[in-house]
Every structure is written in structure tokens, then in C-alpha cells.
Amino acid sequence: MDGSDRAGSVRVRLDVAYDGTGFAGWAAQPGLRTAQGELEGALAVATGRAAGEPPRLVVAGRTDAGVHASGQVAHVDLTPAQLEALTRRHDGAAEVEGVARRLTGLLAAAGDLVVQRSTTAPAGFDARFSAVFRRYRYRIADRLTARDPIDRHRTAVSPRELDEDRMRAAARGLVGLHDFAAFCKPRPGATTIRELQALTWDRDPRGVLVAEVRADAFCHSMVRALVGASMAVGSGRIAPERLADLLNASARSNEFAVAPAHGLTLVEVGYPPDADLAAQAEQARARRTLPDEPR
């Protein structure tokens, strides 16, 4: 049994990296260049007239315009004919590992999107719903000595130095299962309950302030809102304890600005052992509630 929902097809896991500077986000949008659009376009070219519906991708986390990824994960279901076309094998021994090479070859002209690895997905695998965490990294240069022109597309700039001790204190009050409505852009029918597993602040050897943010999942613009709120704390505009207080708010807060997109990178998506993939996917599809909230 493979991980596919389509009879006779093979589910392929794709590990993807991209520089988000030239993309209007992950999700395909008419008339705009997106990571999904480029990848699905390459899939369509490579599979040509092979039998089956055009391949469509399911992704672990949709990134916004300008956000980067070094550890994005997606899956695609391919018919045997599509897999053969993608790997250019005609001896009945199409190799899933060849999918990454073929797609990256078609995408190589721009160089800002790479399929690093393609593997046969284990039974029950769903790139989105089987994930148990997503980990993001945010970089801020708040000192002149930390500003490196080579890293300018992946590092935000703060005009004033930030106090990381205050930011760490604020972060401690946010970790756990909460309603993050104050830190999310609302979407109709979508829950804002998330489990924030980690939010840490440290400086790298050059002095760049680096946040590591991990949660079971993130609602729209949540990471950038958490960073923006932390920056307001670090600059002294908001008290550290105020961020925990905002967890009681029922709507997006206007007390801080959302951090710029280009400082953010999706660096890792975590999955449980293969035997638990299907159960995790089923659980993740259920509506999230807080412990004392009726389902």
C-alpha cells in the first residue's frame, strides 16, 4: 500500500527549498509567479499527455509573498504513466528519486526554486495533515555590524537595537495551547487555536537576532505577528507581560506591526513515525478546541 488517495497511483514526497523574493507566496494565483504555480507547471510539462488528471501538490505550510523555505515539504500523487514520463524511463522501472532531478532541471533557469529530494511516501503520509510541527526562523539585524548586504534578502532590519532579554521574557508567556486570534489575520471559518511549542531568541556569531518559532501549525501571518510583537517588546514600546495578556483578545491586535516577510524562512517540517502518519492526519483534520471549550 502506498500513501496515495488515487487507485493505482504513487504518492511522492517532495522536499523543496526556495528564495521567496521573486514569489507571490506558495499558493498558485492567476497571473502571479508562485512556488506552487512554478512546480505544478513543471509537473505538467514533464508529464505531458500521460494518463490521469494533471498533478496537483499538497504542501505542509503555505508561505506568504516574500517568505523563504529551506525545509518545505509537499506531496503529489502520480499515475504510473506520469511517473514514467517524469523519470524518462521506458523499461518499467521508473525511479521516484528521479522526479527531483527532472523537476529541478525544468526550474533551473531562475535558480530560486529547487526540489532537493523526492521519495516514495509511506502509507498514510499527507504533507499537510500528517505534520506534527512546523519550524520557522526569523532574522533581524538591529546593529550596523550585523548588517550584511549578502544576506539582505533573508534578514529584516531594525532601526534601533532590541533587548533580547525582554523578548525572551515575553516569549515564555506565549508558549502552549492558546487562541492566537490577536496574532492572526482572520479567515472565515478558520480556527486560531494553535499549540506554540517554542519561541526563542538568540544572537548568531555576527550579532544577528534570530528567532526560532515552532508550532503544530500556524494561522495566517501568525509567525510574523509574533515577531512583530516581540520587536515592540524589545524596543520598549510594549511590556513583556502584555503579549500573554493579548491571548485573551478575540481579534487581531493593532498594538504592533507585523514583521516584514523577507526575514522569515520555513526551515523544517516534522512528522511522526510512519506507523502514526495516518492517525496524525485524521486528528489534524478535526476542529481544534481549547481544553475547556466544547467541540
Side-chain angles (χ1 to χ4, degrees), residues 23-36:
F23 293 108
W26 165 267
Q29 302 176 61
L32 296 176
R33 184 170 183 258
T34 68
Q36 181 184 12

Side-chain angles (χ1 to χ4, degrees), residues 14 21 55 65 71 89 104 123 141 161 163 167 198 200 210-211 250 279 286:
L14 303 176
T21 305
R89 294 291 296 270
T104 297
E161 191 164 334
D163 185 334
M167 297 163 79
T200 62
V210 181
S250 59

Side-chain angles (χ1 to χ4, degrees), residues 44-86:
V45 169
T47 56
R49 294 191 178 93
E53 295 294 321
R56 294 290 180 261
L57 294 164
V58 174
V59 73
R62 294 185 176 189
T63 51
D64 293 337
V67 176
H68 316 295
S70 60
Q72 180 68 280
V73 178
H75 79 246
V76 60
D77 294 336
L78 300 171
T79 66
Q82 289 171 337
L83 183 57
E84 180 179 298
L86 268 166

Side-chain angles (χ1 to χ4, degrees), residues 179-186 192-193 219 246-247 249-253:
D179 188 340
F180 285 91
F183 301 92
C184 295
K185 186 175 181 179
T192 51
I193 297 171
C219 47
L246 287 173
L247 293 173
S250 59
R252 178 70 168 265
S253 173

